[in-house]
Amino acid sequence: MTGDRVTTGDDGEAVERFRTLLRIPTMSNLDPSLVDEAAFAAYRDALERLYPALHGELVREVVGGGSLLYRWAGDRSDADSPPATVLMAHYDVVAATDEGWEHPPFGAVVTGTVTGSGAQTSTGQLLWGRGTLDNKGSGVAILEAVERSVRAGLRPASDVYLFFGHDEETEGTGALAAAELLAARGVRIGLVLDEGGAVVEKVFPTVERPIAVVGVAEKGTSSFTLTVQQNGGHASTPPRDPATNRLARAMVRLAKHPFPSGLNAVTARMIATVGAEGRDPLRFVFTRVGVFRPLIVAAFERLGVDTAAMVRTTMAVTQLSGSLAANALAERAQAVVNVRIAIGSTVDATRRHLERAIADPLVAVEILSADEPSPVSEMDGPVWELLAAAVSETYPEAIVTPYVQTGATDSRRFAGASRTVYRFSPFEMSTEERGTLHAKNERIRVATWLTGIRFYEGLLRRL
Ligand SMILES: [Zn+2]
């Protein structure tokens, strides 16, 4: 890992700007009336103050009610110029209170000390706060990189757009508005880079090198309701088969009928790429995906929850409701099933599977929210190569591989406009650190955040 002393110089000032932005509680809420609009406005104002060179050079628009879209005009903006690049992040964060946090979520506390020099320098420092990883970390690193590039007199060959969403954690309307606006203006889009994968370690058996996982697709996130209606009544004289029992049976049947498993092209490519760096006998198997496909699928199903989610559509019953009173029968028993639809499948096929598995016409299966899986971006070609080269320049040790993301991002809004939509946060994240996403004690190593700025700087030089 590269890293300079962070308490002084440009990097020290960058960290202070990041801390200023982390302290602004831009918390998302599904109920718009509970969103603190003043915090979002304060964040947007702070950007103008903190990044004067960027705001002098780029044109900024507020879109979709609070998202920010910047255009950095390239050297060439004619019809034959290469397509534009979109660098994305979101500045809304998941709600948090002080409860359970070692350091307050909006305190931007730095712990650990700077010792030594050179490569060993700042590894001891941690920056704590909501949004450090998800996703102000990426957004502010992009701003730092562009500010530095503008100051250095750099100008990209073709247009670069920066997009910072204000409602990624809820509806993603800002990203939709930006994608529609650019489409209406006839902007041709090449590389789109949003949050997603990261540089991870020790996730693949026998592979010692770090792995930079770049999302080339994301599963579809949808929810279904299972509802059983019945005449109510007093709980003292229950019918033979109350609505709640029928619903419970439906859930048991679902558990017994998982979605079919298989290996999609992206996961197969990931296994072959990463497996080549492992040790035999795993290396032997993983580099022959075609031959050992059934064996690999079976192994992934058992290895852990992360690998199991790679080989099929997953489902989880997340909410249950019945009667409002302890002594009344439920007139309506309902379960919400959250599904993550595998690429290649559809919302419709998912619904049919649920209905077939439950096999009970008295259990109504209805769509609560529907999002199809994204298309799969290119895993070869100049744009993929450009991104992979930028990752390798910053993380020379890392194996760069495509993968399918299980979570949804704003970037899916651009999937119709570009075949090169990628999801990668240029930071090293341990398993434990990834576990703080949407949870308490979210934090980032200061050194890796600074490395992320260098990644975006390097990427901008290649555009
Ligand atoms: Zn996020």
Side-chain angles (χ1 to χ4, degrees):
M1 184 195 295
T2 57
D4 302 320
R5 186 171 292 268
V6 299
T7 48
T8 55
D10 284 355
D11 283 347
E13 286 166 23
V15 172
E16 290 313 311
R17 283 188 286 270
F18 188 18
R19 295 176 73 190
T20 299
L21 293 165
L22 287 168
R23 289 189 188 107
I24 304 173
T26 49
M27 284 187 274
S28 65
N29 199 303
L30 265 173
D31 181 348
S33 72
L34 296 178
V35 172
D36 179 4
E37 293 295 346
F40 285 77
Y43 192 93
R44 294 191 294 270
D45 290 346
L47 295 189
E48 269 187 288
R49 191 162 36 80
L50 296 173
Y51 299 101
L54 181 155
H55 283 83
E57 178 75 15
L58 281 67
V59 179
R60 159 173 144 162
E61 292 173 87
V62 179
V63 297
S67 291
L68 292 170
L69 182 66
Y70 293 85
R71 175 173 175 253
W72 190 5
D75 256 344
R76 297 178 49 197
S77 295
D78 52 279
D80 300 325
S81 62
T85 295
V86 182
L87 302 181
M88 307 177 58
H90 63 89
Y91 72 98
D92 60 322
V93 297
V94 173
T97 62
D98 288 1
E99 202 183 315
W101 286 67
E102 273 180 55
H103 303 282
F106 299 101
V109 171
V110 175
T111 60
T113 47
V114 181
T115 51
S117 59
Q120 301 305 314
T121 308
S122 52
T123 49
Q125 280 195 317
L126 293 172
L127 175 53
W128 299 71
R130 176 58 91 225
T132 46
L133 297 175
D134 186 14
N135 177 236
K136 288 177 179 172
S138 295
V140 181
I142 291 169
L143 290 160
E144 289 289 336
V146 173
E147 179 79 6
R148 288 179 191 189
S149 301
V150 171
R151 281 186 199 281
L154 184 104
R155 193 181 169 95
S158 54
D159 289 1
V160 173
Y161 288 88
L162 313 181
F163 173 79
F164 303 118
H166 75 293
D167 65 349
E168 191 276 343
E169 297 290 359
T170 52
E171 304 283 323
T173 59
L176 185 62
E180 285 174 349
L181 186 66
L182 294 183
R185 288 178 185 165
V187 175
R188 291 171 300 115
I189 299 174
L191 171 65
V192 177
L193 184 61
D194 197 3
E195 64 174 326
V199 180
V200 299
E201 271 180 282
K202 300 183 183 74
V203 293
F204 214 86
T206 80
V207 175
E208 305 296 336
R209 286 173 62 187
I211 306 168
V213 291
V214 178
V216 295
E218 52 194 63
K219 291 175 107 174
T221 301
S222 300
S223 291
F224 293 83
T225 53
L226 315 180
T227 311
V228 182
Q229 311 261 17
Q230 201 174 55
N231 289 333
H234 201 274
S236 60
T237 53
R240 206 181 289 276
D241 195 22
T244 43
N245 287 25
R246 192 171 278 274
L247 182 66
R249 265 200 316 278
M251 294 191 309
V252 170
R253 287 199 191 122
L254 283 185
K256 283 186 179 152
H257 294 91
F259 286 83
S261 59
L263 215 51
N264 59 59
V266 180
T267 306
R269 161 92 174 248
M270 180 193 77
I271 290 169
T273 306
V274 179
E277 304 294 327
R279 289 192 302 272
D280 282 335
L282 281 179
R283 196 187 73 89
F284 183 82
V285 173
F286 287 149
T287 51
R288 289 161 182 81
V289 174
V291 182
F292 293 109
R293 192 171 285 259
L295 183 73
I296 291 171
V297 171
F300 267 51
E301 287 183 54
R302 285 182 202 96
L303 219 54
V305 290
D306 291 319
T307 53
M310 287 178 190
V311 293
R312 61 160 50 95
T313 298
T314 59
M315 58 183 154
V317 174
T318 51
Q319 294 177 300
L320 286 171
S321 59
S323 158
L324 292 173
N327 61 356
L329 294 169
E331 290 179 10
R332 200 180 70 140
Q334 191 171 68
V336 174
V337 186
N338 185 253
V339 296
R340 303 300 167 110
I341 305 170
I343 56 168
S345 186
T346 61
V347 173
D348 228 38
T350 301
R351 179 204 189 118
R352 285 199 301 276
H353 175 92
L354 295 176
E355 285 172 343
R356 263 203 316 272
I358 293 168
D360 182 345
L362 292 180
V363 180
V365 178
E366 278 158 321
I367 294 170
L368 185 62
S369 67
D371 226 337
E372 301 284 357
S374 76
V376 178
S377 294
E378 291 173 3
M379 296 186 275
D380 295 291
V383 181
W384 168 263
E385 295 299 336
L386 180 144
L387 178 63
V391 174
S392 295
E393 184 186 27
T394 315
Y395 292 101
E397 289 298 306
I399 308 159
V400 182
T401 180
Y403 88 117
V404 180
Q405 238 173 251
T406 49
T409 69
D410 267 347
S411 72
R412 71 188 185 284
R413 308 296 190 186
F414 289 90
S418 169
R419 302 221 35 215
T420 49
V421 176
Y422 301 117
R423 303 147 185 92
F424 175 69
S425 306
F427 306 120
E428 287 181 317
M429 292 186 204
S430 67
T431 308
E432 195 196 348
E433 284 161 349
R434 287 201 305 282
T436 69
L437 286 156
H438 292 208
K440 53 189 194 291
N441 291 323
E442 187 178 344
R443 60 191 181 272
I444 194 168
R445 281 171 260 163
V446 169
T448 198
W449 184 68
L450 294 170
T451 303
I453 299 174
R454 313 220 197 296
F455 164 80
Y456 287 116
E457 281 186 283
L459 181 67
L460 289 170
R461 276 196 302 274
R462 291 168 188 272
L463 296 176

